[in-house]
Short mmCIF file of all heavy atoms in Angstrom, two decimals:
data_model
loop_
_atom_site.label_atom_id
_atom_site.label_comp_id
_atom_site.label_asym_id
_atom_site.label_seq_id
_atom_site.Cartn_x
_atom_site.Cartn_y
_atom_site.Cartn_z
N TYR A 1 -2.34 1.02 -18.18
CA TYR A 1 -1.23 1.21 -19.11
C TYR A 1 -1.32 0.07 -20.11
O TYR A 1 -1.37 -1.10 -19.73
CB TYR A 1 0.12 1.25 -18.39
CG TYR A 1 0.22 0.32 -17.20
CD1 TYR A 1 0.84 -0.92 -17.33
CD2 TYR A 1 -0.29 0.68 -15.96
CE1 TYR A 1 0.93 -1.79 -16.25
CE2 TYR A 1 -0.20 -0.18 -14.87
CZ TYR A 1 0.42 -1.41 -15.03
OH TYR A 1 0.50 -2.27 -13.96
N GLY A 2 -1.39 0.44 -21.37
CA GLY A 2 -1.61 -0.58 -22.40
C GLY A 2 -2.96 -1.23 -22.15
O GLY A 2 -3.97 -0.55 -21.95
N THR A 3 -2.99 -2.54 -22.08
CA THR A 3 -4.24 -3.26 -21.83
C THR A 3 -4.36 -3.68 -20.37
O THR A 3 -5.31 -4.34 -19.99
CB THR A 3 -4.31 -4.53 -22.71
OG1 THR A 3 -3.18 -5.36 -22.40
CG2 THR A 3 -4.31 -4.18 -24.18
N LYS A 4 -3.42 -3.27 -19.54
CA LYS A 4 -3.38 -3.70 -18.13
C LYS A 4 -4.01 -2.64 -17.23
O LYS A 4 -3.83 -1.44 -17.45
CB LYS A 4 -1.93 -3.94 -17.73
CG LYS A 4 -1.75 -4.42 -16.32
CD LYS A 4 -0.77 -5.56 -16.26
CE LYS A 4 -0.49 -6.00 -14.85
NZ LYS A 4 -1.51 -6.79 -14.24
N VAL A 5 -4.72 -3.09 -16.20
CA VAL A 5 -5.28 -2.23 -15.16
C VAL A 5 -4.86 -2.83 -13.82
O VAL A 5 -4.95 -4.04 -13.64
CB VAL A 5 -6.82 -2.14 -15.24
CG1 VAL A 5 -7.37 -1.32 -14.09
CG2 VAL A 5 -7.26 -1.55 -16.57
N ASP A 6 -4.37 -1.99 -12.90
CA ASP A 6 -4.07 -2.50 -11.57
C ASP A 6 -4.56 -1.52 -10.51
O ASP A 6 -4.94 -0.38 -10.82
CB ASP A 6 -2.60 -2.87 -11.40
CG ASP A 6 -1.63 -1.71 -11.45
OD1 ASP A 6 -2.01 -0.57 -11.08
OD2 ASP A 6 -0.47 -1.92 -11.85
N TYR A 7 -4.57 -2.00 -9.27
CA TYR A 7 -5.12 -1.25 -8.15
C TYR A 7 -4.10 -1.22 -7.03
O TYR A 7 -3.39 -2.20 -6.79
CB TYR A 7 -6.42 -1.92 -7.67
CG TYR A 7 -7.42 -2.06 -8.79
CD1 TYR A 7 -7.43 -3.20 -9.60
CD2 TYR A 7 -8.31 -1.03 -9.08
CE1 TYR A 7 -8.32 -3.32 -10.65
CE2 TYR A 7 -9.20 -1.15 -10.14
CZ TYR A 7 -9.20 -2.29 -10.91
OH TYR A 7 -10.07 -2.39 -11.96
N GLU A 8 -4.07 -0.07 -6.34
CA GLU A 8 -3.02 0.12 -5.34
C GLU A 8 -3.51 1.02 -4.21
O GLU A 8 -4.28 1.97 -4.44
CB GLU A 8 -1.83 0.76 -6.06
CG GLU A 8 -0.69 1.21 -5.22
CD GLU A 8 0.41 1.85 -6.05
OE1 GLU A 8 0.11 2.58 -7.02
OE2 GLU A 8 1.57 1.62 -5.71
N LEU A 9 -3.05 0.72 -3.02
CA LEU A 9 -3.25 1.56 -1.84
C LEU A 9 -1.91 2.20 -1.52
O LEU A 9 -0.89 1.51 -1.48
CB LEU A 9 -3.71 0.69 -0.67
CG LEU A 9 -3.64 1.30 0.73
CD1 LEU A 9 -4.63 2.45 0.88
CD2 LEU A 9 -3.90 0.22 1.79
N GLU A 10 -1.92 3.51 -1.32
CA GLU A 10 -0.73 4.21 -0.84
C GLU A 10 -1.11 4.96 0.43
O GLU A 10 -2.25 5.41 0.57
CB GLU A 10 -0.23 5.24 -1.88
CG GLU A 10 0.32 4.64 -3.14
CD GLU A 10 0.84 5.70 -4.11
OE1 GLU A 10 0.84 6.91 -3.77
OE2 GLU A 10 1.24 5.32 -5.21
N PHE A 11 -0.17 5.07 1.32
CA PHE A 11 -0.36 5.88 2.52
C PHE A 11 0.84 6.80 2.65
O PHE A 11 1.97 6.35 2.78
CB PHE A 11 -0.52 5.01 3.77
CG PHE A 11 -0.70 5.81 5.02
CD1 PHE A 11 -1.80 6.64 5.17
CD2 PHE A 11 0.24 5.75 6.03
CE1 PHE A 11 -1.96 7.40 6.32
CE2 PHE A 11 0.09 6.50 7.19
CZ PHE A 11 -1.02 7.33 7.33
N GLU A 12 0.59 8.11 2.56
CA GLU A 12 1.65 9.12 2.67
C GLU A 12 1.58 9.73 4.06
O GLU A 12 0.51 10.07 4.55
CB GLU A 12 1.46 10.19 1.60
CG GLU A 12 1.54 9.64 0.19
CD GLU A 12 1.25 10.67 -0.89
OE1 GLU A 12 1.12 11.87 -0.56
OE2 GLU A 12 1.13 10.27 -2.06
N THR A 13 2.75 9.88 4.66
CA THR A 13 2.81 10.37 6.04
C THR A 13 4.08 11.18 6.25
O THR A 13 4.97 11.18 5.41
CB THR A 13 2.73 9.18 7.02
OG1 THR A 13 2.70 9.66 8.36
CG2 THR A 13 3.89 8.23 6.85
N SER A 14 4.15 11.84 7.38
CA SER A 14 5.35 12.64 7.68
C SER A 14 6.31 11.91 8.61
O SER A 14 7.40 12.40 8.88
CB SER A 14 4.95 13.98 8.30
OG SER A 14 4.19 13.75 9.47
N SER A 15 5.92 10.72 9.10
CA SER A 15 6.78 9.96 10.01
C SER A 15 6.79 8.50 9.58
O SER A 15 5.74 7.85 9.56
CB SER A 15 6.27 10.07 11.45
OG SER A 15 6.84 9.06 12.27
N ARG A 16 7.96 7.97 9.27
CA ARG A 16 8.08 6.57 8.86
C ARG A 16 7.59 5.64 9.98
O ARG A 16 6.86 4.68 9.72
CB ARG A 16 9.52 6.24 8.47
CG ARG A 16 9.71 4.76 8.11
CD ARG A 16 10.91 4.54 7.25
NE ARG A 16 10.76 5.02 5.90
CZ ARG A 16 10.05 4.40 4.95
NH1 ARG A 16 9.44 3.28 5.21
NH2 ARG A 16 9.97 4.91 3.75
N GLU A 17 7.97 5.92 11.21
CA GLU A 17 7.60 5.04 12.32
C GLU A 17 6.09 5.01 12.54
O GLU A 17 5.47 3.95 12.62
CB GLU A 17 8.32 5.47 13.61
CG GLU A 17 9.83 5.32 13.56
CD GLU A 17 10.54 6.39 12.71
OE1 GLU A 17 9.98 7.51 12.54
OE2 GLU A 17 11.63 6.10 12.20
N VAL A 18 5.47 6.19 12.65
CA VAL A 18 4.02 6.28 12.85
C VAL A 18 3.29 5.69 11.64
O VAL A 18 2.33 4.94 11.78
CB VAL A 18 3.59 7.75 13.09
CG1 VAL A 18 2.08 7.88 13.09
CG2 VAL A 18 4.17 8.26 14.40
N GLY A 19 3.77 6.01 10.45
CA GLY A 19 3.14 5.54 9.23
C GLY A 19 3.15 4.03 9.09
O GLY A 19 2.15 3.43 8.69
N GLU A 20 4.27 3.42 9.44
CA GLU A 20 4.37 1.97 9.31
C GLU A 20 3.39 1.25 10.24
O GLU A 20 2.70 0.31 9.84
CB GLU A 20 5.80 1.51 9.61
CG GLU A 20 6.06 0.08 9.27
CD GLU A 20 7.55 -0.24 9.22
OE1 GLU A 20 8.36 0.49 9.82
OE2 GLU A 20 7.87 -1.24 8.57
N VAL A 21 3.28 1.73 11.48
CA VAL A 21 2.35 1.14 12.44
C VAL A 21 0.91 1.32 11.94
O VAL A 21 0.12 0.38 11.91
CB VAL A 21 2.53 1.77 13.84
CG1 VAL A 21 1.40 1.36 14.78
CG2 VAL A 21 3.88 1.38 14.42
N TYR A 22 0.58 2.55 11.52
CA TYR A 22 -0.79 2.82 11.05
C TYR A 22 -1.12 1.97 9.82
O TYR A 22 -2.20 1.38 9.74
CB TYR A 22 -0.98 4.31 10.73
CG TYR A 22 -2.37 4.56 10.20
CD1 TYR A 22 -3.44 4.69 11.08
CD2 TYR A 22 -2.62 4.59 8.84
CE1 TYR A 22 -4.73 4.86 10.60
CE2 TYR A 22 -3.90 4.76 8.35
CZ TYR A 22 -4.96 4.89 9.23
OH TYR A 22 -6.23 5.05 8.75
N PHE A 23 -0.20 1.91 8.87
CA PHE A 23 -0.45 1.18 7.62
C PHE A 23 -0.69 -0.31 7.90
O PHE A 23 -1.63 -0.90 7.37
CB PHE A 23 0.73 1.37 6.66
CG PHE A 23 0.47 0.89 5.27
CD1 PHE A 23 -0.45 1.53 4.46
CD2 PHE A 23 1.17 -0.18 4.76
CE1 PHE A 23 -0.69 1.09 3.16
CE2 PHE A 23 0.94 -0.63 3.46
CZ PHE A 23 0.01 0.02 2.66
N ASP A 24 0.13 -0.91 8.75
CA ASP A 24 -0.05 -2.32 9.10
C ASP A 24 -1.41 -2.55 9.76
O ASP A 24 -2.11 -3.51 9.44
CB ASP A 24 1.08 -2.80 10.02
CG ASP A 24 2.40 -2.95 9.28
OD1 ASP A 24 2.41 -2.98 8.03
OD2 ASP A 24 3.45 -3.04 9.96
N ARG A 25 -1.79 -1.66 10.66
CA ARG A 25 -3.10 -1.79 11.33
C ARG A 25 -4.24 -1.61 10.32
O ARG A 25 -5.26 -2.31 10.40
CB ARG A 25 -3.23 -0.75 12.44
CG ARG A 25 -2.44 -1.10 13.67
CD ARG A 25 -2.70 -0.09 14.78
NE ARG A 25 -1.83 -0.36 15.90
CZ ARG A 25 -1.45 0.55 16.78
NH1 ARG A 25 -1.87 1.80 16.68
NH2 ARG A 25 -0.67 0.21 17.78
N PHE A 26 -4.08 -0.67 9.40
CA PHE A 26 -5.11 -0.42 8.39
C PHE A 26 -5.33 -1.67 7.54
O PHE A 26 -6.47 -2.08 7.30
CB PHE A 26 -4.68 0.77 7.51
CG PHE A 26 -5.68 1.16 6.47
CD1 PHE A 26 -6.67 2.10 6.77
CD2 PHE A 26 -5.64 0.61 5.20
CE1 PHE A 26 -7.61 2.47 5.81
CE2 PHE A 26 -6.58 0.97 4.24
CZ PHE A 26 -7.56 1.91 4.55
N LEU A 27 -4.24 -2.29 7.09
CA LEU A 27 -4.36 -3.51 6.28
C LEU A 27 -5.06 -4.61 7.07
O LEU A 27 -5.97 -5.28 6.54
CB LEU A 27 -2.99 -3.99 5.81
CG LEU A 27 -2.26 -3.11 4.79
CD1 LEU A 27 -0.86 -3.64 4.54
CD2 LEU A 27 -3.04 -2.99 3.49
N LYS A 28 -4.66 -4.81 8.31
CA LYS A 28 -5.28 -5.85 9.14
C LYS A 28 -6.76 -5.56 9.36
O LYS A 28 -7.60 -6.45 9.26
CB LYS A 28 -4.55 -5.97 10.48
CG LYS A 28 -3.23 -6.68 10.38
CD LYS A 28 -2.52 -6.77 11.72
CE LYS A 28 -1.14 -7.35 11.49
NZ LYS A 28 -0.21 -7.05 12.53
N HIS A 29 -7.08 -4.31 9.67
CA HIS A 29 -8.47 -3.91 9.93
C HIS A 29 -9.36 -4.21 8.72
O HIS A 29 -10.52 -4.60 8.88
CB HIS A 29 -8.55 -2.43 10.29
CG HIS A 29 -9.93 -1.92 10.46
ND1 HIS A 29 -10.68 -2.20 11.58
CD2 HIS A 29 -10.72 -1.18 9.65
CE1 HIS A 29 -11.88 -1.64 11.45
NE2 HIS A 29 -11.93 -1.02 10.30
N HIS A 30 -8.82 -4.03 7.52
CA HIS A 30 -9.60 -4.25 6.29
C HIS A 30 -9.36 -5.64 5.70
O HIS A 30 -9.78 -5.91 4.57
CB HIS A 30 -9.29 -3.15 5.27
CG HIS A 30 -9.79 -1.81 5.71
ND1 HIS A 30 -11.11 -1.43 5.58
CD2 HIS A 30 -9.17 -0.77 6.29
CE1 HIS A 30 -11.28 -0.22 6.07
NE2 HIS A 30 -10.10 0.21 6.50
N SER A 31 -8.68 -6.52 6.45
CA SER A 31 -8.41 -7.90 6.01
C SER A 31 -7.75 -7.96 4.64
O SER A 31 -8.13 -8.75 3.77
CB SER A 31 -9.71 -8.73 6.00
OG SER A 31 -10.30 -8.73 7.28
N ILE A 32 -6.74 -7.10 4.46
CA ILE A 32 -5.99 -7.06 3.20
C ILE A 32 -4.61 -7.65 3.44
O ILE A 32 -3.89 -7.23 4.35
CB ILE A 32 -5.88 -5.61 2.66
CG1 ILE A 32 -7.28 -5.08 2.33
CG2 ILE A 32 -4.97 -5.56 1.44
CD1 ILE A 32 -7.31 -3.61 1.97
N GLU A 33 -4.27 -8.62 2.61
CA GLU A 33 -2.96 -9.26 2.70
C GLU A 33 -1.88 -8.24 2.34
O GLU A 33 -2.01 -7.48 1.38
CB GLU A 33 -2.94 -10.43 1.72
CG GLU A 33 -1.63 -11.14 1.62
CD GLU A 33 -1.64 -12.19 0.51
OE1 GLU A 33 -2.73 -12.66 0.14
OE2 GLU A 33 -0.55 -12.52 0.02
N LYS A 34 -0.79 -8.24 3.10
CA LYS A 34 0.34 -7.36 2.80
C LYS A 34 1.10 -7.94 1.62
O LYS A 34 1.50 -9.10 1.64
CB LYS A 34 1.25 -7.23 4.02
CG LYS A 34 2.21 -6.08 3.93
CD LYS A 34 2.88 -5.83 5.26
CE LYS A 34 3.63 -4.52 5.23
NZ LYS A 34 4.25 -4.23 6.52
N ARG A 35 1.25 -7.13 0.56
CA ARG A 35 1.92 -7.59 -0.65
C ARG A 35 3.02 -6.59 -1.04
O ARG A 35 2.77 -5.39 -1.08
CB ARG A 35 0.93 -7.66 -1.82
CG ARG A 35 -0.26 -8.54 -1.57
CD ARG A 35 -1.26 -8.42 -2.73
NE ARG A 35 -2.48 -9.12 -2.42
CZ ARG A 35 -3.61 -8.53 -2.04
NH1 ARG A 35 -3.68 -7.22 -1.94
NH2 ARG A 35 -4.68 -9.25 -1.78
N PRO A 36 4.20 -7.09 -1.37
CA PRO A 36 5.23 -6.18 -1.88
C PRO A 36 4.71 -5.53 -3.16
O PRO A 36 4.09 -6.20 -3.98
CB PRO A 36 6.42 -7.08 -2.18
CG PRO A 36 6.07 -8.44 -1.68
CD PRO A 36 4.61 -8.47 -1.37
N THR A 37 4.93 -4.23 -3.31
CA THR A 37 4.37 -3.50 -4.45
C THR A 37 5.45 -2.68 -5.13
O THR A 37 6.13 -1.89 -4.50
CB THR A 37 3.23 -2.58 -3.97
OG1 THR A 37 2.27 -3.37 -3.27
CG2 THR A 37 2.57 -1.89 -5.13
N LYS A 38 5.59 -2.90 -6.42
CA LYS A 38 6.55 -2.13 -7.21
C LYS A 38 5.95 -0.77 -7.54
O LYS A 38 4.74 -0.60 -7.57
CB LYS A 38 6.88 -2.88 -8.50
CG LYS A 38 7.56 -4.21 -8.25
CD LYS A 38 7.78 -4.97 -9.53
CE LYS A 38 8.44 -6.32 -9.23
NZ LYS A 38 8.57 -7.13 -10.43
N ASN A 39 6.83 0.20 -7.82
CA ASN A 39 6.37 1.53 -8.23
C ASN A 39 5.65 1.45 -9.57
O ASN A 39 5.89 0.55 -10.37
CB ASN A 39 7.56 2.49 -8.35
CG ASN A 39 8.14 2.84 -7.00
OD1 ASN A 39 7.45 2.89 -6.00
ND2 ASN A 39 9.45 3.06 -6.97
N LYS A 40 4.79 2.42 -9.82
CA LYS A 40 4.01 2.45 -11.07
C LYS A 40 4.92 2.40 -12.29
O LYS A 40 4.63 1.71 -13.27
CB LYS A 40 3.15 3.71 -11.13
CG LYS A 40 1.95 3.68 -10.23
CD LYS A 40 1.18 5.00 -10.32
CE LYS A 40 0.07 5.06 -9.32
NZ LYS A 40 0.51 5.11 -7.94
N ILE A 41 6.00 3.15 -12.27
CA ILE A 41 6.90 3.19 -13.42
C ILE A 41 7.46 1.80 -13.72
O ILE A 41 7.56 1.39 -14.88
CB ILE A 41 8.03 4.24 -13.21
CG1 ILE A 41 8.85 4.42 -14.49
CG2 ILE A 41 8.92 3.87 -12.06
CD1 ILE A 41 9.84 5.55 -14.41
N VAL A 42 7.78 1.04 -12.68
CA VAL A 42 8.32 -0.31 -12.85
C VAL A 42 7.24 -1.22 -13.42
O VAL A 42 7.48 -1.99 -14.36
CB VAL A 42 8.86 -0.86 -11.51
CG1 VAL A 42 9.27 -2.31 -11.64
CG2 VAL A 42 10.04 -0.01 -11.03
N ARG A 43 6.02 -1.13 -12.88
CA ARG A 43 4.93 -1.96 -13.38
C ARG A 43 4.63 -1.66 -14.85
O ARG A 43 4.40 -2.56 -15.65
CB ARG A 43 3.67 -1.77 -12.52
CG ARG A 43 3.92 -2.19 -11.08
CD ARG A 43 2.67 -2.29 -10.22
NE ARG A 43 1.68 -1.27 -10.34
CZ ARG A 43 1.52 -0.26 -9.49
NH1 ARG A 43 2.33 -0.13 -8.45
NH2 ARG A 43 0.53 0.61 -9.63
#
């Protein structure tokens, strides 16, 4: 957008509880720091 480029991981799921556990494990497995992320529209 404009001159800015950013990168984002999203994980869509049907269960908040299962999704949260999986997402945390996925980040740890790939050695990715957990970062608060604003929605695209906000960015």
